[in-house]
């Protein structure tokens, strides 16, 4: 197979076809790929107006990289080995080779920025020495193989047993170049970093029922894999012995058995797994060695015996790389489980029913900065740097959940999983909010921290017109996130700092945000709201409807254990100086889009809200008709950011969070906002941080 494609002059690919029956050709409209010019007046040295062309920013990706053919894993090998390829796509023919990419619209070469060529190209000359394996050098074989593995595992195989066979042609071609042993998808010359692969979407990954590769190989997992080639530093393991027994005669294909014997230092640890609303996985070392939580990225979703929601087990952590750079985890390694029925010293990377453990790392301490807020004190900012920093990268800002949900599990204290998933700098702004620091102090703190981030972490090059330097806009983008009160502050910042020009908030993730403090009211024991104290209006003459008004999430979930309505009512009394303060849209972001549903009350007795569940003590609520507000106002220069609103099914704040999502979607347009349900109360854990990071990393880098 490798000789067939590598010796062809040109490979013709039916890239747009789902199966062989669709063929190469389609009926097409030639006007679809004609370029239309328009004049734009700009102050330039060549004149006052210049012609510009409108083109698809996903030009190559939408037609080639995201085509049906590339969903087949076998094609990755064929694409890498072929010196030239003609892609027949849905509307034109594309050309791809190691020197250029072209198409019918751009027959000479697709201009830079439109061609997103993801094909790994074989180097024509390979100098195999120590410096050639340095990952900092362009064209490194380590990164070359890693890019192939990542692209290959994105595809699908009709027969999972072909996992190694479908890429064997590339491996066979690389072996004489690298002069290295091939170990079930890994290379001896880069074994330490090759062992540090991780499941890119571990919630959807799974292992096959039958054996096809050892657990330390990426080939043992069905799902996208991110290679470990980005980790650099001192190697802490050495290869002592190995055995690779193929199922047939092909040493690069399916395996019957394989093992590695490594020399390194093992550290005993406890692995704790929790399922349910407080789901999570964590590793804790023994007291004599790093008595703190460490990050872990599992290979696949964890499973527990039926009826159990949590479990602890003894594992061993094998450090593989000691990272010298301060922005990387200090040590990165793999979690090992004692094999059943084996003597001491046999540690599969995963074993039996408990096989979700892959990469463990000790997170570095974040940088801390104290930022003064006028003459009223200062706030603390924690800065988490990404493991693979790039120039001109966007920044993510996180706001803690605030002093509520006291009975719920603590929010993640280390945001390194968010930084590593997005490969972006993450800043956590610790705004002040307590009985002594009431609203609007947290809003002032949040905006002060945001301005500090723009000034020190989000550069803004001068004298570079936006149209002539589009790539310089990437580092001006900011993402914000937070849950509960932090989600409320993140929403306020996102809705007011989403400028269409210059640094701005481009994306936001809001978890159960408190979007309308004004809508909260005491709930009677039967789940109903107190009757209004205003005179009752005259009854209408028409027949009254028998349909009962549906209860809101505030009334249905008022007694939720993790976030009861009474706790929010107490917090409102404690955190606001007066009732008028929580009628401010910056405190209740939903009021940017509509008027409040109640009048601003006068003096409020705290007992009315603290003892809201006692019948006869609660204060009646006067309601009024809500009216829509136009937001953002015309001429404001604001454009709604991409937004994800995560709401818990049993959360008292569900309805107002959904209402905010729909209001933002109406202002932003379809496709930019999503409202997603979560199990239970829906509070965040490490898994949500990883999912959030992947989304931020994708959205904030889009043109």
């Amino acid at each position: 197979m490798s000789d067939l494609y590598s010796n062809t002059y040109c490979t013709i690919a039916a890239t747009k076809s789902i199966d062989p029956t669709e063929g190469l050709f389609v009926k097409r409209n030639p006007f679809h790929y004609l370029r239309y010019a328009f004049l734009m007046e700009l102050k330039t040295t060549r004149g006052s107006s210049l012609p510009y062309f409108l083109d698809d920013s996903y030009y190559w990706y939408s037609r080639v990289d995201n085509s049906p053919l590339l969903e087949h894993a076998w094609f990755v090998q064929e694409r890498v080995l072929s010196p030239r390829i003609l892609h027949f796509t849905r509307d034109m023919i594309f050309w791809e080779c190691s020197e250029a990419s072209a198409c019918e619209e751009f027959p000479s070469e697709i201009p830079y920025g439109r061609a997103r060529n993801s094909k790994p190209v074989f180097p024509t000359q390979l100098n195999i020495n120590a410096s050639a394996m340095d990952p900092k050098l362009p064209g490194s074989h380590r990164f070359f193989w890693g890019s192939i593995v990542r692209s290959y595992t994105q595809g699908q195989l009709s027969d999972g047993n072909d996992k190694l066979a479908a890429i064997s042609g590339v491996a066979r071609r690389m072996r004489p170049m690298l002069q290295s042993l091939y170990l079930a998808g890994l290379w001896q010359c880069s074994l330490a970093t090759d062992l540090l692969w991780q499941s890119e979407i571990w919630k959807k990954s799974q292992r096959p029922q039958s054996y096809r590769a050892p657990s330390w190989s990426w080939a043992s997992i069905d799902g996208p894999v991110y290679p470990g080639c980005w980790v650099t530093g001192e190697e802490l393991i050495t290869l002592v012995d190995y055995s690779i027994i193929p199922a047939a005669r092909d040493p690069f294909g399916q395996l019957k058995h394989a093992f590695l014997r490594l020399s390194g230092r093992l550290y005993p640890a406890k692995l704790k797994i929790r399922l349910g609303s407080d789901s999570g996985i964590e590793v804790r070392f023994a007291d004599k060695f790093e008595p703190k939580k460490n990050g872990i990225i599992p290979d696949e979703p964890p499973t527990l015996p039926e009826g159990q929601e949590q479990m602890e087990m003894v594992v061993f952590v094998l450090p593989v790389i000691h990272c010298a750079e301060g922005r990387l985890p200090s040590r990165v390694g793999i979690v090992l489980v004692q094999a059943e029925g084996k003597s001491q010293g046999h540690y599969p990377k995963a074993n039996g029913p408990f096989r979700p453990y892959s990469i463990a790392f000790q997170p570095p301490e974040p940088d801390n900065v104290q930022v003064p807020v006028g003459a009223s004190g200062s706030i603390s900012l924690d800065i988490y740097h990404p493991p693979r920093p790039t120039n001109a990268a966007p920044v993510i800002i996180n706001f803690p959940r605030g002093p509520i949900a006291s009975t719920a599990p603590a929010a993640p204290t280390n945001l390194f999983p968010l930084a590593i998933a997005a490969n972006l700098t993450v800043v956590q702004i610790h705004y002040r909010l307590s009985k002594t620091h009431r609203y609007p102090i947290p809003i002032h703190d949040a905006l002060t921290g945001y301005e500090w981030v723009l000034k020190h972490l989000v550069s803004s090059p001068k004298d570079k017109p936006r149209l002539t330097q589009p790539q310089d806009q990437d580092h001006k983008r900011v993402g914000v996130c937070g849950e509960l009160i932090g989600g409320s502050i993140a929403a306020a910042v996102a809705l007011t700092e989403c400028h269409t020009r210059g640094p701005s908030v481009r994306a936001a993730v809001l978890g159960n945000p408190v979007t309308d403090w004004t809508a909260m009211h005491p709930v009677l024991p039967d789940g109903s709201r107190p009757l209004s104290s205003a005179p009752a209006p005259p009854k209408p003459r028409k027949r009254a409807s028998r349909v009962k008004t549906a209860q809101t999430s505030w009334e249905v979930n008022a007694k939720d254990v993790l976030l009861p309505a009474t706790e929010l009512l107490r917090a409102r009394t404690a955190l606001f100086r007066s009732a008028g303060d929580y009628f401010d849209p910056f405190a209740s972001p939903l009021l940017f889009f509509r008027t409040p549903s109640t009048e601003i009350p006068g003096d409020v007795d705290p007992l009315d809200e603290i003892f809201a569940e006692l019948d006869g003590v609660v204060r009646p609520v006067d309601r009024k008709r809500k009216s829509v507000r136009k937001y953002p106002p015309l001429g404001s220069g604001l454009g709604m950011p991409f937004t994800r609103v995560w709401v818990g099914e049993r959360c008292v704040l569900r309805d107002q969070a959904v209402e905010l999502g729909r209001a933002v979607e109406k202002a932003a347009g379809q496709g930019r906002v999503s409202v997603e349900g979560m199990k239970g109360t829906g509070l965040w854990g490490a898994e949500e941080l990883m999912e959030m990071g992947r989304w931020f990393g994708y959205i904030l880098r889009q043109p």
Side-chain angles (χ1 to χ4, degrees):
M1 182 67 72
S2 60
D3 294 336
L4 175 64
Y5 284 96
S6 59
N7 290 316
T8 59
Y9 183 81
C10 181
T11 299
I12 299 176
T15 308
K16 58 87 184 174
S17 300
I18 299 177
D19 54 56
T21 62
E22 294 191 4
L24 293 174
F25 307 105
V26 294
K27 294 181 179 180
R28 55 182 186 164
N29 187 346
F31 292 101
H32 285 173
Y33 53 88
L34 289 179
R35 291 183 295 164
Y36 296 93
F38 66 96
L39 295 179
M40 178 175 291
E41 293 187 0
L42 293 174
K43 294 182 180 180
T44 65
T45 57
R46 293 182 292 175
S48 60
S49 61
L50 293 174
Y52 287 82
F53 296 92
L54 287 176
D55 280 319
D56 184 5
S57 59
Y58 299 92
Y59 196 87
W60 180 274
Y61 173 80
S62 61
R63 294 170 172 84
V64 179
D65 287 345
N66 196 35
S67 61
L69 183 59
L70 268 75
E71 295 178 1
H72 298 275
W74 276 97
F75 181 66
V76 173
Q77 175 174 256
E78 300 162 3
R79 186 184 184 191
V80 171
L81 295 176
S82 299
R84 306 167 191 85
I85 302 178
L86 271 178
H87 293 279
F88 282 75
T89 69
R90 66 177 187 270
D91 56 3
M92 68 179 77
I93 300 175
F94 283 75
W95 169 270
E96 180 182 21
C97 67
S98 59
E99 296 182 357
S101 300
C103 64
E104 293 177 83
E105 182 178 353
F106 300 99
S108 298
E109 184 177 4
I110 299 177
Y112 173 78
R114 298 176 179 86
R116 286 170 167 78
N117 192 338
S118 62
K119 173 187 175 182
V121 179
F122 268 115
T124 55
Q125 296 180 353
L126 295 176
N127 181 19
I128 306 300
N129 51 42
S131 62
M133 290 306 299
D134 187 348
K136 295 182 180 180
L137 295 178
S140 166
H141 310 137
R142 189 190 312 234
F143 277 105
F144 173 65
W145 179 251
S147 65
I148 292 177
V149 170
R150 188 179 188 190
S151 179
Y152 173 69
T153 55
Q154 301 284 337
Q156 303 293 327
L157 288 169
S158 56
D159 186 355
N161 292 327
D162 292 336
K163 193 75 172 185
L164 289 171
I167 202 173
S168 61
V170 179
R172 187 177 290 104
R173 178 90 180 276
M174 287 192 66
R175 183 174 180 177
M177 299 177 181
L178 296 179
Q179 299 180 6
S180 176
L181 292 173
Y182 183 67
L183 305 170
L186 285 60
W187 295 97
Q188 181 189 10
C189 60
S190 56
L191 180 61
T193 55
D194 286 356
L195 280 171
L196 297 179
W197 59 267
Q198 58 186 257
S199 294
E200 193 164 346
I201 310 177
W202 64 268
K203 286 187 177 181
K204 298 182 180 179
S205 299
Q206 60 182 1
R207 294 184 188 270
Q209 296 295 327
S210 59
Y211 180 90
R212 118 183 133 206
S215 62
W216 41 264
S217 170
W218 54 263
S220 64
I221 286 288
D222 288 328
V225 167
Y226 197 93
C229 54
W230 58 271
V231 184
T232 60
E234 177 188 359
E235 296 185 2
L236 304 178
I237 61 169
T238 55
L239 178 63
V240 177
D241 192 12
Y242 73 94
S243 175
I244 303 293
I245 302 177
R249 295 184 178 181
D250 185 8
F252 298 93
Q254 185 179 359
L255 300 178
K256 183 179 181 180
H257 175 71
F259 78 82
L260 295 178
R261 181 171 290 117
L262 304 175
S263 175
R265 184 175 180 180
L266 284 177
Y267 293 97
K270 284 187 178 181
L271 181 72
K272 184 176 182 179
I273 307 173
R274 302 184 309 275
L275 299 181
S277 58
D278 181 26
S279 61
I281 306 173
E282 64 183 47
V283 172
R284 287 182 179 269
F285 292 105
D287 292 339
K288 295 182 179 179
F289 175 73
E290 303 295 342
K292 57 188 292 187
K293 287 186 179 181
N294 289 259
I296 181 169
I297 303 175
D299 287 350
E300 60 177 338
T303 57
L304 296 179
E306 185 177 357
Q308 293 188 19
E309 291 191 355
Q310 65 178 9
M311 183 189 67
E312 288 189 3
M313 60 187 302
V314 177
V315 296
F316 295 88
V317 175
L318 175 65
V320 176
I321 295 285
H322 183 273
C323 304
E325 300 182 18
R327 292 188 173 186
L328 290 172
S330 58
R331 276 169 293 185
V332 185
I334 55 179
V335 177
L336 304 175
V337 182
Q338 180 77 43
E340 295 180 358
K342 299 289 184 179
S343 60
Q344 185 175 3
H346 289 264
Y347 300 102
K349 188 179 180 184
N351 177 61
F354 311 109
R355 303 185 300 179
Y357 323 115
S358 176
I359 304 300
F361 54 86
Q362 177 184 332
E365 294 297 327
D367 296 336
N368 183 266
V369 177
Q370 297 294 321
V371 179
V373 184
S376 61
S378 63
I379 58 174
S380 175
L381 273 61
D382 290 336
I383 304 175
Y384 299 82
H385 296 288
R388 308 177 299 280
T390 58
N391 294 329
V395 176
I396 302 173
I397 298 177
N398 174 264
F399 299 97
R401 65 170 58 159
I404 57 175
S406 57
T407 60
T413 56
N414 194 305
L415 299 184
F416 189 77
L418 177 59
I420 193 176
N423 194 28
L424 298 174
T425 297
V426 176
V427 180
Q428 186 170 46
I429 299 178
H430 294 279
Y431 56 89
R432 296 167 296 171
L433 182 59
S434 63
K435 291 183 178 180
T436 56
H437 296 90
R438 301 184 177 187
Y439 273 88
I441 288 179
I443 300 298
H444 297 159
D445 291 351
L447 294 177
T448 300
Y450 177 79
E451 293 297 331
W452 187 94
V453 170
L454 294 186
K455 182 178 180 181
H456 294 87
L457 300 180
V458 181
S459 58
S460 180
K462 297 180 180 179
D463 303 325
K464 290 187 177 181
R466 184 174 182 178
L467 290 175
T468 59
Q469 300 286 344
Q471 65 273 20
D472 293 331
Q473 301 299 317
D474 290 348
H475 57 286
K476 295 183 178 183
R477 297 169 182 167
V478 178
V480 295
C481 58
E483 60 176 339
L484 302 181
I485 295 179
S488 173
I489 296 176
V493 173
L495 295 174
T496 56
E497 298 295 336
C498 52
H499 306 287
T500 56
R501 297 180 63 88
S504 66
V505 175
R506 172 70 179 253
V509 178
L510 313 175
N512 293 313
V514 183
T515 64
D516 190 2
W517 288 98
T518 71
M520 300 178 186
H521 59 81
V523 179
L524 297 175
D526 61 357
S528 63
R529 72 165 61 228
L531 299 176
S532 174
S533 59
K539 295 183 179 181
R541 295 182 178 180
K542 63 180 181 180
R543 178 183 298 178
S545 174
R546 295 182 180 179
V547 179
K548 295 183 178 180
T549 304
Q551 286 186 311
T552 64
S553 64
W554 178 264
E555 297 161 352
V556 173
N557 303 318
K559 296 183 179 180
D560 179 41
V561 176
L562 299 182
L563 187 63
T566 53
E567 184 176 3
L568 287 167
L569 291 171
R570 293 189 187 101
R572 186 173 69 176
T573 301
L575 302 178
F576 291 90
R577 293 187 179 91
S578 65
D581 288 341
Y582 56 78
F583 279 76
D584 183 351
F586 280 90
S588 300
L590 196 51
L591 302 187
F592 281 113
F593 299 96
R594 64 161 173 80
T595 59
S597 58
T598 61
E599 299 286 354
I600 300 180
D603 296 334
V604 179
D605 185 353
L607 292 177
D608 289 351
E609 296 177 344
I610 294 178
F611 301 102
E613 67 275 9
L614 298 179
D615 190 12
V617 177
V618 297
R619 176 176 55 85
V621 178
D622 295 327
R623 303 192 66 187
K624 69 175 185 177
R625 183 182 298 274
K626 296 177 289 188
S627 60
V628 178
R629 288 171 172 164
K630 175 64 177 177
Y631 192 86
L634 295 176
S636 62
L638 300 178
M640 293 293 97
F642 290 91
T643 306
R644 294 179 74 176
V645 182
W646 292 348
V647 293
E649 296 175 353
R650 297 201 308 266
C651 184
V652 294
L653 302 171
R654 184 188 63 198
D655 287 352
Q656 56 178 261
V658 171
E659 185 181 0
L660 177 70
R662 292 173 178 172
V664 176
E665 182 179 23
K666 185 177 180 181
Q670 293 184 351
R672 297 178 68 91
V673 180
S674 65
V675 179
E676 305 163 39
M678 301 178 69
K679 293 182 179 180
T681 308
L683 299 179
W684 291 354
E687 301 171 14
E688 285 71 27
L689 292 183
M690 296 292 291
E691 167 63 22
M692 190 189 315
R694 285 188 288 266
W695 183 77
F696 272 129
Y698 172 77
I699 291 296
L700 293 178
R701 290 186 175 93
Q702 293 303 302

